[in-house]
Amino acid sequence: MAALAVLMALAAASLAAAVAEGAPWFWPPAGDDPYCLSWRVMVEANNAKNWRTVPPPCVGYVWRYMAWGQYTRDVASVADQIAAYAAQLAAGDDGLDAWVFDVDDTCLSNLFYYQAKQFGAYDPVAFKNWASKAMCPGIPGMAQLFQTLKGRGFRVFILSGRDEQSLASSTAANLAAAGFAGYDRLIMRNEGYRGVSSVVFKSEMRRQLVEGEGYRIRGNVGDQWSDLQGDFLGDRVFKVPNPMYFVP
């Protein structure tokens, strides 16, 4: 609940700042727009691919979905499913049963960055400046889930497509501040994987965990389908909703 209160407070502050800068004020929340609802379902089902921006008619819809409760309820449902699945598993005494979590919009929220951009095209320089501030709030419920998995004896690896050279320290600090302390390793994209697709990069990192170090990936959690595709996915994958952007 504390994380949710912080997220809502930040949402209010972000909204006030956006209005002050002339951005449209998406309040009160409207009912589901049929076109935008269908578009969001296509995104979550991975039927919509390679889109670069939220469709202009759906910018307000996405903001309302993300900021005014439904997104939080949907994430809580995902977390409940993960917890129920994990409760059926027993971590082995050898310490090799593991989970993999993505960072952006799985552990840490970038809502305020993308909302300020009206959910426009990805800008690597602007995003790097945002991420380097280590101010991303935690995704409600995910830190508690993370600690639950740790408490059950699982190893947890944080696997991110963020650039290691420029964002390693800020990402580690942000994760710690958001309640993700005690993970086993933060794995980020180094210079050898720049320009490589997320599917290829993350598949290789998981391969190293499984074949190189002997870990058994029992669950894999991400907000992008590219987090959850490729090789060495683990026993089960869980998709966190994200209609803000697409990572190939």
Side-chain angles (χ1 to χ4, degrees):
M1 292 301 293
L4 177 59
V6 170
L7 188 62
M8 294 304 293
L10 287 169
S14 175
L15 179 59
V19 170
E21 294 175 2
W25 186 10
F26 304 122
W27 179 264
D32 282 336
D33 176 275
Y35 167 76
C36 296
L37 175 59
S38 294
W39 175 81
R40 181 169 64 82
V41 171
M42 287 193 296
V43 166
E44 296 304 338
N46 202 30
N47 292 325
K49 296 178 181 290
N50 299 318
W51 50 278
R52 298 187 69 247
T53 66
V54 170
C58 299
V59 168
Y61 169 87
V62 169
W63 166 246
R64 291 190 295 269
Y65 168 75
M66 295 295 298
W68 298 112
Q70 187 59 54
Y71 167 76
T72 300
R73 289 189 289 272
D74 290 348
V75 172
S77 294
V78 175
D80 288 345
Q81 291 294 317
I82 297 172
Y85 165 70
Q88 303 171 21
L89 306 176
D93 293 337
D94 58 7
L96 293 175
D97 288 300
W99 283 72
V100 175
F101 277 67
D102 173 55
V103 171
D104 288 301
D105 298 293
T106 299
C107 295
L108 302 177
S109 173
N110 295 297
L111 170 61
F112 308 120
Y113 167 78
Y114 282 102
Q115 191 273 332
K117 290 171 56 64
Q118 296 290 283
F119 306 105
Y122 176 68
D123 180 338
V125 175
F127 181 79
K128 186 177 293 185
N129 289 338
W130 157 260
S132 67
K133 297 175 182 177
M135 295 176 59
C136 302
I139 301 291
M142 282 296 164
Q144 181 178 356
L145 174 65
F146 165 83
Q147 295 297 344
T148 296
L149 293 173
K150 291 292 295 181
R152 291 184 58 83
F154 293 102
R155 309 292 290 272
V156 179
F157 295 92
I158 309 294
L159 176 56
S160 173
R162 288 186 177 191
D163 180 66
E164 183 178 52
Q165 182 176 1
S166 58
L167 293 175
S169 60
S170 59
T171 301
N174 203 158
L175 286 166
F180 296 90
Y183 51 80
D184 289 273
R185 194 182 312 159
L186 172 59
I187 305 169
M188 303 178 69
R189 189 188 295 263
N190 61 33
E191 60 183 8
Y193 289 94
R194 289 175 184 165
V196 173
S197 74
S198 181
V199 172
V200 172
F201 162 67
K202 293 196 171 185
S203 291
E204 176 59 20
M205 297 302 102
R206 293 191 300 263
R207 184 194 68 77
Q208 292 179 20
L209 289 173
V210 173
E211 291 191 339
E213 302 180 49
Y215 287 103
R216 298 178 291 270
I217 299 177
R218 307 307 300 271
N220 184 5
V221 186
D223 68 293
Q224 298 290 315
W225 280 106
S226 54
D227 299 328
L228 309 173
Q229 294 175 324
D231 301 322
F232 302 96
L233 293 172
D235 295 343
R236 188 168 172 184
V237 300
F238 293 89
K239 172 73 166 63
V240 178
N242 183 358
M244 299 188 293
Y245 58 87
F246 177 88
V247 177

